[in-house]
Amino acid sequence: MTDTTATATDAAAPAAVKLTNLLGLPRPAMEAFFESIGEKKFRATQVMKWIHQEGVDSFDEMTNLAKPLRERLKQVAEIRAPGIVYEGESKDGTRKWVLEVSDGSYVETVLIPSENGNRRTLCVSSQVGCSLDCSFCSTGKQGFERDLTAAEIIGQVWVATRGAEDRKDTRKRPVTNVVMMGMGEPLMNYDNVVPAMKLMLDDNAYGLSKRRVTLSTSGVVPKLDQLGDEMDVSLAISLHAANDELRNVLVPINRKWNIRALLDSCHRYLAKCDDARIVTIEYTLIKDVNDQIQHAEELAALLDELPCKINLIPFNPFPHSGYEKPSRNQVMRFQQRLYELGYTAPVRATRGDDIDAACGQLVGQVKDRTRRAERYINAIQLDAD
């Protein structure tokens, strides 16, 4: 005989309500949320200020909201940031957070203070792992799992600013600049990165200038064109080579959108900006690969018509990469040649390498669904044999 009691009881049980995470909602989406629960749009501004400017994650603390509204919000919404697994500080003042996101994976974000203390730049991740496989980047060797949500992206800014004593003093902001240069390729996660950046810029959230929010891309040309139609944050290009043959090896996405296509897209992006703007060219110097004088001259010729500066980044070694860091003298020779050819070309100081927070060293913990990490480890073992 079949027992239908349990089945009937189960069917009658109410389904669990999925809570809306308000942390990742930019203003239009926040306004739409409040309208959907029968509230006025101005509630969006109030709640955004509580979340992003006060660092609040409890509706009970939102004292300018009526108690019935606070109780209603508890039933339909939440403010959920990534959990802090590790927080460490380098001897040079760089701070790194390892954050646990919703599926148990770890991502990393790094806060880098300038030497004079006036600028504090947060390097934010956009993916769990990286969907690309640049040959000189340890982040890419761990493979890729998924895109981060908008809440998980802006949550990194929230974590870095929360609890800071001077958070309301714009001269002493805990985060003055944000660079989308952490784990992942931001333009491969366009639909989550853009809402997060809009929160960074919103005066009722973090209020950063568009010149102080920088998106770095390896060259997803269609999405770069789309970005220029929607906003005009600062732009950095991970170039690393001045010809397609070498860049195909270092940055494999170049095989889909080559250097010419990428630079043409940069010109289109700058044309859409409402002020004079330059592009930052990121160029990792790798010993005997792209660090010779002829490479500097080729780079200068390539960028002749693009308003830009060039950030030189000495390669940060990681095990079994097959690459080496160039000597300081070689870096200086490369830089000097670019200066002679009329380019601003600062050398980016290596920061936070004692806590594995330097450029290209962010690895987190990824449940790699691409099996790239497995192939990389197998290749290392074959080389060892």
Side-chain angles (χ1 to χ4, degrees):
M1 178 173 150
T2 304
D3 184 359
T4 60
T5 304
T7 304
T9 301
D10 292 343
V17 175
K18 184 176 181 180
L19 302 179
T20 300
N21 190 357
L22 303 185
L23 182 64
L25 299 187
R27 180 191 302 277
M30 187 75 87
E31 290 176 345
F33 166 78
F34 276 102
E35 287 185 315
S36 75
I37 63 170
E39 291 288 333
K40 300 293 186 181
K41 290 198 298 184
F42 76 88
R43 296 296 185 192
T45 298
Q46 292 177 306
V47 172
M48 286 175 66
K49 287 181 176 179
W50 279 113
I51 295 172
H52 301 290
Q53 296 183 359
E54 301 294 337
V56 163
D57 61 358
S58 168
F59 296 117
D60 288 330
E61 296 181 50
M62 299 182 181
T63 52
N64 61 347
L65 303 184
K67 187 173 181 180
L69 174 55
R70 283 181 268 163
E71 294 302 317
R72 172 70 171 140
L73 287 173
K74 291 179 191 178
Q75 297 171 3
V76 297
E78 62 180 346
I79 304 162
R80 179 166 45 84
I84 300 174
V85 175
Y86 164 84
E87 181 178 355
E89 186 166 346
S90 167
K91 60 188 178 184
D92 63 20
T94 299
R95 296 172 67 189
K96 180 172 84 168
W97 289 268
V98 178
L99 303 175
E100 184 175 6
V101 293
S102 60
D103 61 354
S105 296
Y106 296 166
V107 297
E108 301 185 4
T109 189
V110 176
L111 184 65
I112 308 164
S114 63
E115 291 184 0
N116 62 16
N118 292 332
R119 187 174 68 252
R120 288 164 293 282
T121 301
L122 188 69
C123 183
V124 171
S125 296
S126 58
Q127 295 180 312
V128 183
C130 185
S131 54
L132 307 184
D133 188 16
C134 297
S135 64
F136 55 88
C137 180
S138 63
T139 304
K141 298 306 177 190
Q142 68 182 319
F144 171 73
E145 182 181 347
R146 67 172 175 86
D147 293 332
L148 293 178
T149 65
E152 290 165 343
I153 295 169
I154 200 65
Q156 297 168 62
V157 186
W158 188 87
V159 165
T161 58
R162 190 186 192 205
E165 295 180 0
D166 301 323
R167 62 186 300 127
K168 292 184 181 179
D169 186 341
T170 57
R171 297 167 301 175
K172 299 180 180 179
R173 284 179 173 173
V175 174
T176 63
N177 298 63
V178 172
V179 291
M180 298 299 305
M181 296 181 184
M183 298 168 63
E185 163 55 58
L187 291 184
M188 297 295 281
N189 186 17
Y190 186 93
D191 290 342
N192 290 302
V193 166
V194 167
M197 291 196 300
K198 287 182 176 179
L199 280 168
M200 297 173 198
L201 301 176
D202 196 300
D203 287 340
N204 291 306
Y206 299 94
L208 296 174
S209 160
K210 61 188 177 183
R211 288 180 172 270
R212 292 180 177 268
V213 176
T214 301
L215 181 139
S216 174
T217 179
S218 296
V220 187
V221 168
K223 291 299 182 181
L224 180 54
D225 286 336
Q226 185 178 346
L227 181 68
D229 293 333
E230 194 160 352
M231 61 194 315
D232 59 343
V233 293
S234 294
L235 179 64
I237 299 297
S238 293
L239 192 62
H240 312 299
N243 64 74
D244 286 325
E245 182 179 7
L246 179 55
R247 194 166 191 263
N248 286 346
V249 174
L250 298 178
V251 187
I253 199 174
N254 194 73
R255 298 167 190 161
K256 189 166 187 178
W257 296 291
N258 65 17
I259 293 175
R260 186 70 267 154
L262 176 55
L263 295 185
D264 287 346
S265 182
C266 290
H267 282 286
R268 292 192 293 270
Y269 187 88
L270 293 180
K272 296 171 186 175
C273 295
D274 60 7
D275 56 1
R277 200 75 66 87
I278 66 171
V279 174
T280 298
I281 299 295
E282 297 170 307
Y283 192 95
T284 298
L285 287 163
I286 306 170
K287 182 181 178 181
D288 298 331
V289 174
N290 65 351
D291 67 337
Q292 302 301 301
I293 296 301
Q294 64 265 29
H295 294 127
E297 294 170 346
E298 187 178 12
L299 181 63
L302 175 71
L303 300 175
D304 182 53
E305 296 182 358
L306 182 71
C308 66
K309 71 172 183 178
I310 303 168
N311 271 353
L312 300 177
I313 310 166
F315 172 68
N316 291 308
F318 60 91
H320 311 291
S321 68
Y323 294 135
E324 297 179 31
K325 185 175 185 175
S327 68
R328 184 177 183 278
N329 285 342
Q330 186 59 29
V331 172
M332 294 303 103
R333 282 193 289 268
F334 195 98
Q335 180 190 47
Q336 181 59 35
R337 186 59 183 136
L338 288 176
Y339 281 158
E340 293 168 354
L341 294 168
Y343 286 88
T344 299
V347 176
R348 184 184 297 175
T350 298
R351 304 292 300 274
D353 56 338
D354 56 325
I355 56 171
D356 292 331
C359 184
Q361 290 185 332
L362 303 187
V363 294
Q365 179 177 300
V366 178
K367 301 168 185 175
D368 178 25
R369 62 182 176 85
T370 66
R371 302 187 68 180
R372 187 190 308 144
E374 177 185 334
R375 293 193 299 272
Y376 181 61
I377 292 170
N378 289 339
I380 291 170
Q381 292 172 340
L382 286 173
D383 289 342
D385 294 341

